[in-house]
Amino acid sequence: MRNLRFFCCSQVVHGFGCGSKQLGIPIANFPEQVVDSLPADISTGIYYGWASVRSGAIRKMVVSIGWNPHYKDAKNPMETHIIHTFKEDFYGEILNVAIVGYLRPEKNFDFLESLSSAIQGDIEEAKKQLDLPEHLKLKDDSFFQVSKSKIMNGH
Ligand code: ADP
Ligand code: MG
């Protein structure tokens, strides 16, 4: 499998209240425009990688991409579950995402549905993959450093 290097950052917006948090799987939504920065040929599906909220710790995550050029109106174009328990929500904060690998296709563009049936599998696989040296080193990528210094300088 080829290693991906896809970086993206945007504000976290409110989702459609599909109740993922109630299932113990909060999934942070990106606004629709974010998908315009995706490579045009990216496949929809579930990916894994690294994420940080503002300039905070870089943590493992799984992300769903439910957008492709044929389905530009997908309801949840990009949603991220960070594999960590946060004390508070982070709506309105900048979420930095580095996608490094592909897990599987997504069904029906419904991350919650596919997550609830396969969540432990996805998360365990993401955790394992991200411990590989080639993925671990992505945590030090300048993408995260740049986001950090931008925030510290108030940009
Ligand atoms: P919504 O429908 O508004 O997206 P969710 O139930 O999917 O609501 O919860 C997502 C929100 O939960 C995120 O926007 C974020 O503020 C918060 N959150 C807390 N912990 C996490 C986490 N580990 N991963 C993703 N989002 C989280
Ligand atoms: Mg959500």
Side-chain angles (χ1 to χ4, degrees):
M1 193 202 322
R2 87 192 153 107
N3 286 334
L4 304 167
R5 295 288 179 269
F6 174 62
F7 301 100
C8 180
C9 70
S10 180
Q11 226 173 13
V12 173
V13 298
H14 282 268
F16 293 84
C18 50
S20 57
K21 207 177 289 165
Q22 283 83 329
L23 291 178
I25 317 160
I27 308 169
N29 290 66
F30 270 159
E32 256 173 59
Q33 310 84 271
V34 168
V35 297
D36 294 336
S37 65
L38 294 173
D41 62 348
I42 198 162
S43 307
T44 58
I46 313 298
Y47 294 78
Y48 60 87
W50 301 104
S52 70
V53 179
R54 287 192 100 232
S55 56
I58 300 162
R59 304 183 195 281
K60 295 174 178 179
M61 62 80 176
V62 287
V63 60
S64 148
I65 295 176
W67 175 91
N68 75 25
H70 305 291
Y71 298 94
K72 234 186 166 170
D73 58 347
K75 238 167 88 179
N76 297 312
M78 195 166 169
E79 299 183 274
T80 307
H81 172 69
I82 304 175
I83 307 174
H84 177 75
T85 304
F86 289 87
K87 287 205 189 84
E88 286 175 349
D89 288 346
F90 43 86
Y91 290 111
E93 299 281 10
I94 296 292
L95 176 63
N96 304 291
V97 164
I99 294 173
V100 309
Y102 180 76
L103 281 175
R104 63 179 172 86
E106 185 191 26
K107 291 166 200 132
N108 305 324
F109 304 107
D110 186 340
F111 193 25
L112 180 61
E113 207 170 86
S114 27
L115 254 188
S116 29
S117 59
I119 177 135
Q120 285 315 330
D122 287 336
I123 289 176
E124 289 316 311
E125 185 61 21
K127 281 180 173 170
K128 208 168 70 188
Q129 291 290 334
L130 288 162
D131 279 336
L132 297 174
E134 71 259 37
H135 291 144
L136 267 179
K137 69 171 190 248
L138 251 277
K139 282 178 87 173
D140 300 323
D141 192 276
S142 57
F143 167 74
F144 285 112
Q145 306 309 323
V146 169
S147 330
K148 202 167 190 162
S149 70
K150 267 192 194 160
I151 287 164
M152 279 156 58
N153 292 323
H155 296 304

